[in-house]
Amino acid sequence: MKFTSRYATSLALFTDMYQLTMAQAYWKKGMAEQEAVFHLYFRKHPFNGGYTVCAGLADAIDYLKEFRFSPDDIAYLGSLKGSQQQPLFETEFLAYLQNLTFTCQVDAIPEGTVVFPNEPLLRIQGPILQCQLLETPLLTIINFQTLIATKAARLVDAAQGDRIIEFGMRRAQGPDGALSAARAAFIGGIGATSNLLAGRYFDIPVKGTHAHSWVMSFPEEQDAFAAYAEVFPHDSVFLVDTYNTLQGIKKAIMVAKQLREKGAELLGIRLDSGDLAYLSKEGRRMLDEAGLPEVSILASNDLDEYLIQSLKLQGARIDTWGIGTKLVTAYDQPALGGVYKLAALRGTDGHWEYKLKLSEQLIKISTPGILQVRRYYGTQNFIADMIYSEEQPVPTDATIIDPADVTRRRTLSADEDFENLLVPVFRNGKVVYQEPDLKTIQARTRQQISQLHESIRRFLNPHLYPVGLEEQLFKEKMEIILGIRNKETGQ
Amino acid sequence: MKFTSRYATSLALFTDMYQLTMAQAYWKKGMAEQEAVFHLYFRKHPFNGGYTVCAGLADAIDYLKEFRFSPDDIAYLGSLKGSQQQPLFETEFLAYLQNLTFTCQVDAIPEGTVVFPNEPLLRIQGPILQCQLLETPLLTIINFQTLIATKAARLVDAAQGDRIIEFGMRRAQGPDGALSAARAAFIGGIGATSNLLAGRYFDIPVKGTHAHSWVMSFPEEQDAFAAYAEVFPHDSVFLVDTYNTLQGIKKAIMVAKQLREKGAELLGIRLDSGDLAYLSKEGRRMLDEAGLPEVSILASNDLDEYLIQSLKLQGARIDTWGIGTKLVTAYDQPALGGVYKLAALRGTDGHWEYKLKLSEQLIKISTPGILQVRRYYGTQNFIADMIYSEEQPVPTDATIIDPADVTRRRTLSADEDFENLLVPVFRNGKVVYQEPDLKTIQARTRQQISQLHESIRRFLNPHLYPVGLEEQLFKEKMEIILGIRNKETGQ
C-alpha cells in the first residue's frame, strides 16, 4: 500500500526541491563541505501562550540515523528536467549524493523541556550541503510535535489533574498527523489515546468507549448497554446521548445496577453533545442518587482548554475529558512557525564568520553564533534563560539583553544554579544521545512546567519569561546588523 | 526508521480502540456478520464556502486493499488489559480477527467531484464488524484530503489563472500531513509542489527557488545570484529579500543582464516579505525598464485566498503565488468534520431496517437508507443534487426537500440530464474501480467547479447550492425521527 511504499526506501527526498538545487550549487561551487552552523527555533509561542514544550527529537534522530539517498531517489532526481528540458541535476553531482553519508554534529534540547522564542531547539553543525538538505524534514518533525505537546500541556493545565484522553485520530491531518500527534500529546501530559497504532508503537495507554452505531444497532438503547456490559463487565463506559441524554443516563443506571448484581461495576458514562455543564451535574446527581458515586463522567465534543476552564467555572462534574480535533490539529493555531537559519560559516582561515538574516523587524532578525541556551534556576522556579555563543567564554556575572526590547536587561549571578539545555545528540554523524522513554519525557514536561511561575502559565496575557542574549553576543549581533544596513543604504 | 517501521506490517491498528472493543462485542453477540450500511459525509462546507472538492479515495482504496491484521497486530491486541488486569480481548476473537478478510461493497464519489453537505462521499455495505473497524481510517484519509483539495480550489479561484506552487512541507502536520496535502492540493488545482517525495510518488511537478541561507553563505548578494545562475542558467529564480528587497532586485537585474549575454534568461525573482503590493509593482517596473519583461515575479509569505484577492485588488504584479502553511494545514479551519454513520441494518428477515442518529438539531440528524446522490445538469451549470435511497425507485418527476429548511423544495424533471455520483469501488472486497491518474482528477475538479454558478463560488456568503432528500426518503426519515422522539418522551 502507498503508506508503506511511500516510506519504504528512504526519506532523503522528504525535503524541499530547493534544498537539492542549492546542494548542487554548493557542490558545483566547491562549497559543499564548508562547515556551517544552523539553528532551528521559533519566534513566538503558539496559542498566545507563555511557554512551549519541545518535542519531536526522537523522530528527528530516527530520520538522521537513516539519512541516505537510495538508488530510486537518485533515479528520480536524474529524471527531473529544467526549463529547457535539460536534466536539472548533473550525473557527477548525483554520484556525490549517492555516496553521501551524514557526518554532522547535532545538539538539541531534550524533549519535554520548556522552551522560549529564539532559543535554538536544535543546532546542526557540519558541511553546509548536509545542513541545508535537513532543513525541511527537521522543521516538519519538530514544528508539529512541539506544537501538539504545547497544546496538550495547556489542556493538562486547564484540567487541573483530571484525566484526559486524546481521540482525535479521525480529524487528524493524515495518518502520520494522527500518530505524531498522539506521541506529542502524551509528551505534553495526556494520559491515553484512542489510537491503537500509536499505542502499539509508542507504548501509550489506549482507551475507548463505544460509538453511537453500537446503540443504533440494537432495537433498544438499554439492550445495547446490557450487551456491551456482558462482553466488558469491568471495562464499560456507556455513550448516553444517542437519542436523549437524560433518558440514556437512566438506562445506563439500570444496566449498572444489573452489573453490580453480577459483581462488576460500570466504569463510566460519556456525554458527547448538549449542555455539558448541565448534563454532567444532572448525571452526577442521578448516578449518586442511584448509589453509583464511583461511576465517572467522561465528556467530549470539540473541547479545548478554554472550554475546560469554562466548564470547571460552571461547576461541571466531569472526571475525564476526551479531546479530539482541537488537540490533534492544534485547531486555533495549526502550525508552529519554526525556522532554520544559518548562523555561522567557517572561513578558509578556519575562523567562524557569523551570519544573520535581516528583517524589517528587529525581533525577526536571526542570531549569529554557535549558540547554547543556559537556564538559571531559583529555589522554586526558573529565573531566566541566556542565549550565548559557545565560541566565547561566559563572564562570571553575565548580563542578558532582550533583543525585542533592549532596555530589558538582567544580570545573572554565577552563584545561581544553571544548566546548559542543548546536549550532544550526534557527533560525526553517529548518535551519542541516550533517548529517554516516553514516560520519562512526559514526567520531564510536568516537572519543567511546575517550575514556571503561574503568571507564565496562564492563558490570557501570560507574563513574559526572561530570555536574553548574553551581552557580548548581543553587541556582535548589533554590529553585524548595522554593518549590513550601512552597506545596503550606501549602495 | 520509525516512519518505515510504523507502517511496515499492517495498518489494521490504525483505528480507534473502541472499534476493536465494539468488534469483539458484535462478535460475542453473534452480530459480527450482520449486514450494515454506513455513510461517510460532512455537514458543513469548510471555510464558510459554497462548495467542497472530495479527495482521498485513492488512499482509502490502498488502505482497504491491504486490510488485514498481522500477527504483530494480534499480539499487541492480546497484550491489552482491562481494568481488572484481565486480557481485554478473547483468544477466539483474536483468531477471528487474524482470519478476517475484507468483503465489503464500497461505493464512492470520484475524487475531484464537487460535493455538498450531507451527501455520502463513501457508502460501505457489509458485515457490521468490518464496517465499524473502517470508520476511523476512512475518516482520517477522506477528511484531510477533502479539506486540502477544497482549500486549494479556493486558492486557484482567487488566483484567476495565475500559477500557484505549494511549499508548505515544513509547516505541515507531520511527514504524511505534507505528502497527503501535496496530493490533495494538486487535485484542487495547484500546479506544482516543493515536496520532492510527493513529486516522486504522485508525479506532481516539483519547483523551487533558493533559500536566504544561499545568499548569506556568500560575502555579497550579487555573487550569490551570479553563482546560482552559473549552475542553473535556465532555471534561476532569485530570492531578493535577504537584506533589502529593492537593492536585491537591482542585483538580480544586473545578474539577469549578465546571464542574457551568455544566452540565457532569468526565470524570475521571489518576494518573501514586506509590502508585496508595493514591492511587486516596483519590481515589475524595474524589470520592465531593464528590458526584462519576461522575468516573472513570485510572491510568498503566509498567503491565502483572501490575501491573493486583496493583492489583486491592489494591482499587485505577481505572476506566481507560493503558498505554504495556509494551504497545507488549511490554517483557518484545519479539520473537516466528516462523520461516518450507520444508516441501515439488515434484519433476520432479510429486510433493511433504516437507522439514524438523533440530535437536538434537525440538520445534524443522519439520513437512513442505502443512499445515492443524483446530480441534475443544466446546459451550463449544475441544477441540484438529490439524495435518495437505492431501495426505492425514483419517481419520474422527483421532488427534493432541503432537510435544513423543509419549505425549500424543488421538483426535478426526468427530462434533465443527470448522473449518479456514487460509483462502485469494491464488490465483495475486490476493487472494481479503475482509478484515474492525478492529472485527470485535477482536470475533473476544474471542470466540476466551472459548472457552479459564480454566486456559489464566491468566498463571502456564497449562495446555497440546492441539495435535498428525495420526498419519499424525507418522509421516511421524519417518521423514524418522530417514532424515536415519541418513544423517548413516552418513557
Side-chain angles (χ1 to χ4, degrees):
Chain A
M1 93 184 68
K2 282 217 187 73
F3 294 127
T4 309
S5 66
R6 274 180 196 169
Y7 301 122
T9 55
S10 97
L11 279 177
L13 292 184
F14 186 71
T15 195
D16 284 308
M17 172 68 164
Y18 77 0
Q19 314 291 9
L20 267 296
T21 54
M22 280 190 283
Q24 172 160 296
Y26 283 126
W27 172 80
K28 194 89 180 169
K29 301 299 293 180
M31 295 162 68
E33 310 284 333
Q34 196 174 355
E35 195 177 4
V37 172
F38 281 77
H39 298 116
L40 189 158
Y41 63 98
F42 60 90
R43 298 187 185 112
K44 194 175 169 303
H45 289 301
F47 321 118
N48 295 312
Y51 65 89
T52 295
V53 177
C54 74
L57 181 59
D59 283 311
I61 292 173
D62 282 345
Y63 183 86
L64 296 173
K65 275 202 291 203
E66 302 286 330
F67 183 79
R68 64 180 168 79
F69 286 87
S70 71
D72 281 357
D73 297 337
I74 299 296
Y76 172 71
L77 293 174
S79 76
L80 294 176
K81 300 274 188 285
S83 66
Q84 310 294 303
Q85 297 306 310
Q86 84 285 16
L88 203 53
F89 295 106
E90 297 184 17
T91 312
E92 279 174 67
F93 170 66
L94 294 176
Y96 176 86
L97 281 189
Q98 182 135 26
N99 292 322
L100 188 69
T101 55
F102 178 62
T103 59
C104 294
Q105 328 301 321
V106 179
D107 294 79
I109 298 182
E111 295 187 278
T113 306
V114 163
V115 289
F116 300 91
N118 304 310
E119 296 182 348
L121 310 185
L122 261 79
R123 184 179 81 202
I124 318 286
Q125 177 175 341
I128 193 166
L129 181 145
Q130 291 183 43
C131 295
Q132 191 70 66
L133 289 175
L134 301 172
E135 173 178 27
T136 317
L138 293 176
L139 282 170
T140 306
I141 293 166
I142 303 293
N143 268 334
F144 181 53
Q145 292 199 37
T146 298
L147 182 76
I148 301 301
T150 307
K151 172 58 82 175
R154 291 163 62 84
L155 288 159
V156 170
D157 255 358
Q160 299 171 7
D162 297 345
R163 183 188 185 84
I164 302 180
I165 302 173
E166 174 272 304
F167 46 51
M169 193 172 189
R170 63 189 61 191
R171 303 282 163 77
Q173 298 209 338
D176 183 75
L179 278 170
S180 302
R183 180 181 187 277
F186 189 80
I187 288 177
I190 302 299
T193 180
S194 70
N195 183 333
L196 277 168
L197 204 57
R200 175 173 160 210
Y201 285 122
F202 305 124
D203 195 22
I204 301 173
V206 284
K207 292 285 168 200
T209 58
H210 64 71
H212 295 118
S213 53
W214 175 261
V215 174
M216 289 155 67
S217 65
F218 286 77
E220 297 292 336
E221 189 174 29
Q222 194 173 329
D223 296 344
F225 292 161
Y228 200 79
E230 201 183 310
V231 183
F232 298 104
H234 303 293
D235 298 281
S236 281
V237 176
F238 297 148
L239 179 60
V240 292
D241 74 332
T242 305
Y243 305 117
N244 174 303
T245 302
L246 293 178
Q247 295 292 341
I249 296 173
K250 279 187 198 164
K251 292 170 196 167
I253 287 172
M254 286 189 266
V255 176
K257 287 178 173 173
Q258 293 161 6
L259 203 54
R260 179 171 284 178
E261 285 168 22
K262 294 175 198 157
E265 295 292 334
L266 180 65
L267 288 188
I269 61 168
R270 173 178 167 203
L271 309 171
D272 190 38
S273 58
D275 182 334
L276 296 178
Y278 167 74
L279 291 170
S280 67
K281 283 188 268 192
E282 198 58 18
R284 185 73 273 153
R285 189 189 58 73
M286 291 162 72
L287 288 163
D288 289 352
E289 283 178 7
L292 297 161
E294 301 298 319
V295 173
S296 72
I297 297 178
L298 187 159
S300 53
N301 190 16
D302 269 342
L303 297 175
D304 63 15
E305 63 268 46
Y306 308 105
L307 278 167
I308 293 177
Q309 278 192 334
S310 162
L311 283 163
K312 284 196 165 277
L313 273 173
Q314 295 170 69
R317 299 294 301 275
I318 294 164
D319 307 293
T320 304
W321 306 84
I323 317 279
T325 316
K326 301 290 167 76
L327 169 55
V328 302
T329 66
Y331 201 88
D332 55 336
Q333 189 194 317
L336 180 69
V339 294
Y340 183 89
K341 295 289 175 195
L342 176 64
L345 203 54
R346 204 187 283 278
T348 43
D349 59 357
H351 284 98
W352 285 110
E353 202 179 321
Y354 282 12
K355 296 287 181 180
L356 58 74
K357 157 82 183 77
L358 269 198
S359 166
E360 306 282 312
Q361 299 157 267
L362 189 58
I363 185 64
K364 285 186 78 175
I365 298 178
S366 63
T367 300
I370 293 99
L371 304 181
Q372 176 58 276
V373 182
R374 180 167 292 184
R375 177 160 296 166
Y376 290 82
Y377 295 90
T379 45
Q380 302 230 328
N381 293 332
F382 298 152
I383 299 175
D385 286 5
M386 173 174 71
I387 299 171
Y388 68 98
S389 180
E390 289 191 342
E391 268 224 301
Q392 287 166 339
V394 176
T396 318
D397 288 325
T399 297
I400 57 171
I401 302 173
D402 181 348
D405 175 356
V406 298
T407 63
R408 284 168 60 106
R409 288 158 190 249
R410 179 188 283 252
T411 298
L412 296 160
S413 157
D415 298 336
E416 308 290 355
D417 285 336
F418 66 80
E419 183 188 16
N420 284 345
L421 296 184
L422 286 148
V423 300
V425 175
F426 282 85
R427 284 296 172 267
N428 303 316
K430 301 290 171 217
V431 183
V432 294
Y433 178 67
Q434 180 69 42
E435 283 182 54
D437 67 26
L438 214 54
K439 289 192 179 65
T440 307
I441 299 173
Q442 189 185 60
R444 178 177 176 86
T445 304
R446 270 303 91 197
Q447 205 275 334
Q448 287 263 314
I449 291 177
S450 73
Q451 286 177 270
L452 294 177
H453 190 271
E454 59 183 2
S455 62
I456 292 164
R457 292 167 66 171
R458 73 174 172 238
F459 299 152
L460 197 63
N461 297 329
H463 193 78
L464 212 65
Y465 176 80
V467 178
L469 301 187
E470 185 276 323
E471 193 169 11
Q472 294 169 78
L473 178 64
F474 177 81
K475 285 180 182 160
E476 277 195 79
K477 178 174 175 174
M478 292 304 122
E479 274 169 34
I480 299 173
I481 295 171
L482 292 173
I484 299 173
R485 289 229 162 116
N486 285 337
K487 200 169 78 172
E488 290 302 318
T489 48
Q491 281 179 322
Chain B
M1 92 183 69
K2 283 218 185 71
F3 294 126
T4 310
S5 65
R6 274 180 195 169
Y7 301 122
T9 54
S10 97
L11 279 177
L13 291 184
F14 186 71
T15 196
D16 283 309
M17 173 69 164
Y18 76 0
Q19 314 291 10
L20 267 296
T21 55
M22 281 191 281
Q24 173 160 294
Y26 283 126
W27 171 81
K28 194 90 180 167
K29 301 300 292 178
M31 296 162 68
E33 310 284 333
Q34 196 175 354
E35 194 176 5
V37 172
F38 282 77
H39 298 116
L40 188 158
Y41 63 98
F42 60 90
R43 298 187 185 113
K44 194 174 169 304
H45 289 300
F47 321 118
N48 294 313
Y51 66 89
T52 295
V53 176
C54 73
L57 180 59
D59 283 311
I61 291 173
D62 281 345
Y63 182 85
L64 297 173
K65 275 202 291 202
E66 303 286 331
F67 184 78
R68 64 178 170 77
F69 286 88
S70 71
D72 281 357
D73 296 337
I74 299 295
Y76 172 71
L77 292 174
S79 75
L80 294 176
K81 300 274 187 284
S83 67
Q84 309 295 304
Q85 297 306 311
Q86 83 286 15
L88 203 54
F89 296 105
E90 297 183 18
T91 312
E92 279 174 67
F93 169 66
L94 294 176
Y96 176 87
L97 280 189
Q98 182 135 27
N99 292 322
L100 189 68
T101 53
F102 178 62
T103 60
C104 294
Q105 326 302 322
V106 179
D107 295 79
I109 298 183
E111 295 187 277
T113 306
V114 162
V115 290
F116 300 92
N118 304 308
E119 297 182 347
L121 310 186
L122 262 78
R123 185 179 83 202
I124 317 286
Q125 177 175 339
I128 192 166
L129 182 144
Q130 290 183 41
C131 294
Q132 192 69 68
L133 289 175
L134 300 173
E135 174 178 25
T136 316
L138 292 177
L139 282 171
T140 306
I141 293 166
I142 303 292
N143 269 335
F144 181 53
Q145 291 198 39
T146 298
L147 182 75
I148 301 300
T150 306
K151 172 58 80 176
R154 292 164 60 84
L155 287 160
V156 170
D157 256 357
Q160 300 171 7
D162 296 346
R163 182 189 185 85
I164 302 181
I165 301 173
E166 175 273 303
F167 45 52
M169 194 172 188
R170 65 189 60 192
R171 304 283 163 77
Q173 297 209 339
D176 183 74
L179 277 172
S180 302
R183 180 181 187 276
F186 189 79
I187 288 177
I190 302 298
T193 180
S194 71
N195 184 331
L196 277 167
L197 204 57
R200 173 172 160 211
Y201 285 123
F202 305 125
D203 195 22
I204 301 173
V206 284
K207 292 285 168 200
T209 59
H210 62 72
H212 294 119
S213 53
W214 173 261
V215 174
M216 289 154 68
S217 64
F218 286 78
E220 299 291 335
E221 190 175 28
Q222 193 172 329
D223 296 344
F225 292 162
Y228 201 78
E230 201 183 311
V231 183
F232 298 104
H234 303 292
D235 298 280
S236 282
V237 176
F238 297 147
L239 178 59
V240 291
D241 74 332
T242 304
Y243 303 115
N244 173 304
T245 302
L246 294 178
Q247 295 292 341
I249 296 173
K250 278 186 199 166
K251 293 170 196 164
I253 287 171
M254 285 188 268
V255 176
K257 287 178 173 173
Q258 293 161 6
L259 203 54
R260 179 170 283 176
E261 285 167 21
K262 295 174 196 154
E265 295 291 333
L266 180 66
L267 287 188
I269 60 168
R270 173 177 167 204
L271 309 170
D272 190 38
S273 59
D275 182 334
L276 296 179
Y278 167 74
L279 291 171
S280 67
K281 283 188 268 191
E282 197 57 19
R284 185 72 274 154
R285 189 188 59 72
M286 291 161 72
L287 288 164
D288 288 352
E289 283 178 7
L292 297 161
E294 300 299 319
V295 173
S296 73
I297 297 179
L298 187 158
S300 53
N301 190 17
D302 269 342
L303 298 175
D304 63 13
E305 63 267 47
Y306 307 106
L307 278 168
I308 293 177
Q309 277 192 336
S310 162
L311 283 164
K312 283 194 167 280
L313 273 173
Q314 295 170 69
R317 300 294 301 276
I318 294 164
D319 307 292
T320 304
W321 305 84
I323 317 278
T325 316
K326 300 290 168 76
L327 168 55
V328 300
T329 66
Y331 201 88
D332 54 335
Q333 189 195 317
L336 180 69
V339 295
Y340 183 89
K341 295 290 175 196
L342 178 65
L345 203 54
R346 204 188 282 280
T348 42
D349 60 357
H351 285 97
W352 286 110
E353 203 179 321
Y354 282 13
K355 297 286 180 181
L356 59 75
K357 157 80 182 78
L358 267 199
S359 167
E360 305 283 311
Q361 299 156 267
L362 189 59
I363 186 62
K364 285 186 77 175
I365 298 178
S366 63
T367 301
I370 293 99
L371 303 182
Q372 176 58 277
V373 181
R374 181 167 291 184
R375 177 159 296 166
Y376 290 82
Y377 296 89
T379 44
Q380 302 229 329
N381 293 330
F382 298 152
I383 298 175
D385 286 4
M386 173 173 72
I387 300 170
Y388 68 99
S389 179
E390 289 190 341
E391 268 225 301
Q392 288 165 337
V394 177
T396 317
D397 288 325
T399 297
I400 58 172
I401 301 174
D402 181 348
D405 175 355
V406 298
T407 63
R408 283 167 61 105
R409 289 159 189 247
R410 178 190 284 250
T411 298
L412 296 159
S413 158
D415 299 336
E416 308 290 355
D417 285 335
F418 67 79
E419 182 188 16
N420 285 346
L421 296 185
L422 287 148
V423 299
V425 175
F426 283 85
R427 284 297 173 264
N428 304 314
K430 301 291 170 215
V431 183
V432 295
Y433 179 67
Q434 179 70 42
E435 283 183 54
D437 67 27
L438 213 55
K439 289 193 180 64
T440 307
I441 299 172
Q442 189 186 60
R444 179 177 175 87
T445 304
R446 270 304 91 195
Q447 204 275 334
Q448 286 265 314
I449 291 177
S450 73
Q451 285 177 272
L452 293 177
H453 190 271
E454 60 184 2
S455 63
I456 292 164
R457 292 167 66 170
R458 72 175 173 236
F459 299 151
L460 196 64
N461 298 326
H463 192 77
L464 212 63
Y465 176 80
V467 178
L469 301 185
E470 186 276 323
E471 193 168 11
Q472 295 168 76
L473 177 64
F474 177 80
K475 285 181 180 159
E476 278 196 79
K477 178 174 174 173
M478 291 305 123
E479 275 169 32
I480 299 173
I481 296 170
L482 292 172
I484 298 172
R485 290 231 160 114
N486 285 338
K487 200 169 78 174
E488 290 300 319
T489 49
Q491 280 181 320

